Amino acid sequence: MLRRTFLALTTAATLSTPVFADGHSMDIVDTAVKADGFETLVAAVQAAGLVDTLKGEGPFTVFAPTDEAFAALPEGTLDDLLKPENKDQLTAILTYHVVPGKVMSGDLENNMMAATAQGGDLTIMTEDGVTVNGANVVTADIEASNGVIHVIDAVILPE
């Protein structure tokens, strides 16, 4: 009886676990939530109403600023951006960090232009390390079920 219960539970658990072709079961948002150093980014994504979008099918490439990157913004900037009346501006900034498609570090070329979900373009440089509009990529190729995250050390602002 105990053996049969164990087998039934094991089979149910195996069949109910999501399976992804690339072996990654967490989406971009869940990956950021689980990782250290992205509390501000996650709060901003929530305030902008972008959680469902970034949990969507994708694929997306996200250049994710760290908490330290947000802290380096001029004093009061983040607090202002998180106010409901500034949701459109916050959304524009956050979507400027998102490129449709999955762009791995091996796909990058020096002086490459990448169109963002916001509508602007990012300039990617690969000489002396990888930069995105001047922000350094400090960790690359964090794969998620619906794309990839590259960690950057600054918040990049659209023109």
Side-chain angles (χ1 to χ4, degrees), residues 63 96-99 112-116 120-124 132-133 156:
F63 294 99
Y96 191 61
H97 289 78
V98 178
V99 173
M112 177 180 176
M113 300 300 287
T116 70
D121 289 319
L122 298 173
T123 302
I124 299 169
V132 179
N133 280 26
I156 48 179

Side-chain angles (χ1 to χ4, degrees), residues 82-135:
L82 292 175
K83 292 178 181 175
E85 60 267 23
N86 296 325
K87 182 178 178 180
D88 289 343
Q89 185 180 8
L90 177 62
T91 300
I93 291 169
L94 292 174
T95 56
Y96 191 61
H97 289 78
V98 178
V99 173
K102 186 175 181 179
V103 182
M104 301 300 288
S105 61
D107 301 326
L108 303 176
E109 297 175 11
N110 196 48
N111 211 25
M112 177 180 176
M113 300 300 287
T116 70
Q118 176 265 354
D121 289 319
L122 298 173
T123 302
I124 299 169
M125 302 299 288
T126 58
E127 293 178 348
D128 299 322
V130 177
T131 62
V132 179
N133 280 26

Side-chain angles (χ1 to χ4, degrees), residues 10 30 38-39 94 139 159:
T10 303
D30 292 339
F38 297 107
E39 289 79 14
L94 292 174
T139 305
E159 295 180 20

Side-chain angles (χ1 to χ4, degrees), residues 21-157:
D22 61 2
H24 304 281
S25 61
M26 290 192 303
D27 60 46
I28 286 173
V29 174
D30 292 339
T31 301
V33 167
K34 186 175 179 186
D36 288 331
F38 297 107
E39 289 79 14
T40 307
L41 177 62
V42 170
V45 166
Q46 291 169 339
L50 294 172
V51 171
D52 289 341
T53 300
L54 291 175
K55 284 179 142 310
E57 186 175 326
F60 306 106
T61 298
V62 176
F63 294 99
T66 61
D67 290 338
E68 292 81 17
F70 280 102
L73 290 171
E75 188 172 334
T77 302
L78 182 61
D79 291 334
D80 285 342
L81 287 171
L82 292 175
K83 292 178 181 175
E85 60 267 23
N86 296 325
K87 182 178 178 180
D88 289 343
Q89 185 180 8
L90 177 62
T91 300
I93 291 169
L94 292 174
T95 56
Y96 191 61
H97 289 78
V98 178
V99 173
K102 186 175 181 179
V103 182
M104 301 300 288
S105 61
D107 301 326
L108 303 176
E109 297 175 11
N110 196 48
N111 211 25
M112 177 180 176
M113 300 300 287
T116 70
Q118 176 265 354
D121 289 319
L122 298 173
T123 302
I124 299 169
M125 302 299 288
T126 58
E127 293 178 348
D128 299 322
V130 177
T131 62
V132 179
N133 280 26
N136 295 303
V137 174
V138 294
T139 305
D141 297 338
I142 301 171
E143 292 190 69
S145 63
N146 62 344
V148 61
I149 298 171
H150 302 291
V151 181
I152 57 175
D153 66 355
V155 177
I156 48 179
L157 302 173

